[in-house]
Amino acid sequence: MVDASGRGLGLYFPWLHIGFYAALPSDPPSGTIFFMEALAVCSALHLSAWVAAGRRITRLAVLSDNSNTVAIFNTLRAEPAYNPILVSAVDVRLRLQLDLRVDHVPGRFNVVADALSRGRFDLARELDPSLTLFQFIPPRDALGASKK
């Protein structure tokens, strides 16, 4: 489950009780919440191998409350500003041989990821008392930065 707000990105893996938070990038190519929601999905995909802790995963479902984000990951079609996010996601999918499905979830069911994206760690832990939190940095290549 992923979410973005005007403050940050939140990723939540509920079956593992693991959450991630990142502050918004300082100079994103686009200032819309849509861009940040798409970046959150891409980030969840990048972190999936780490979350799997050595186990090979072949399928990943990511839930987002942003229908435009769901659409670009399911069609791989977007405005040019979003292409680095999609290319980054496809690179990870190919490298890990991972089947990705991005689905819509109503915001009222995405409360932990929402709390994380807003930096409300107290609320996130109240909603999931077993939650372990980590900070992360969104993938640089998804922001249009050159790979090094």
Side-chain angles (χ1 to χ4, degrees):
M1 303 182 99
V2 301
D3 200 29
S5 71
R7 183 163 178 196
L9 307 176
L11 316 176
Y12 177 50
F13 294 82
W15 66 96
L16 296 171
H17 306 282
I18 294 176
F20 293 90
Y21 169 79
L24 293 181
S26 59
D27 191 22
S30 174
T32 68
I33 195 68
F34 173 30
F35 184 89
M36 295 304 160
E37 293 274 358
L39 184 59
V41 171
C42 183
S43 297
L45 184 56
H46 277 262
L47 286 167
S48 65
W50 182 83
V51 169
R55 294 171 298 188
R56 184 173 174 336
I57 58 171
T58 59
R59 295 183 186 149
L60 180 68
V62 178
L63 301 176
S64 171
D65 58 10
N66 185 287
S67 58
N68 290 332
T69 296
V70 172
I72 70 165
F73 280 93
N74 289 332
T75 64
L76 296 178
R77 294 180 64 190
E79 295 292 323
Y82 300 90
N83 284 341
I85 293 174
L86 292 177
V87 169
S88 179
V90 169
D91 284 348
V92 172
R93 288 182 65 188
L94 291 173
R95 182 170 35 90
L96 298 178
Q97 298 178 342
L98 186 64
D99 182 24
L100 174 68
R101 181 177 179 136
V102 180
D103 285 320
H104 185 264
V105 62
R108 69 182 180 275
F109 298 123
N110 203 23
V111 291
V112 175
D114 179 71
L116 292 171
S117 76
R118 297 174 190 284
R120 295 281 322 273
F121 309 123
D122 56 335
L123 177 58
R125 283 194 173 109
E126 184 179 312
L127 295 165
D128 182 349
S130 299
L131 185 64
T132 301
L133 294 175
F134 299 94
Q135 284 190 306
F136 76 97
I137 297 171
R140 288 179 38 87
D141 63 330
L143 294 169
S146 62
K147 291 183 182 180
K148 295 190 179 189

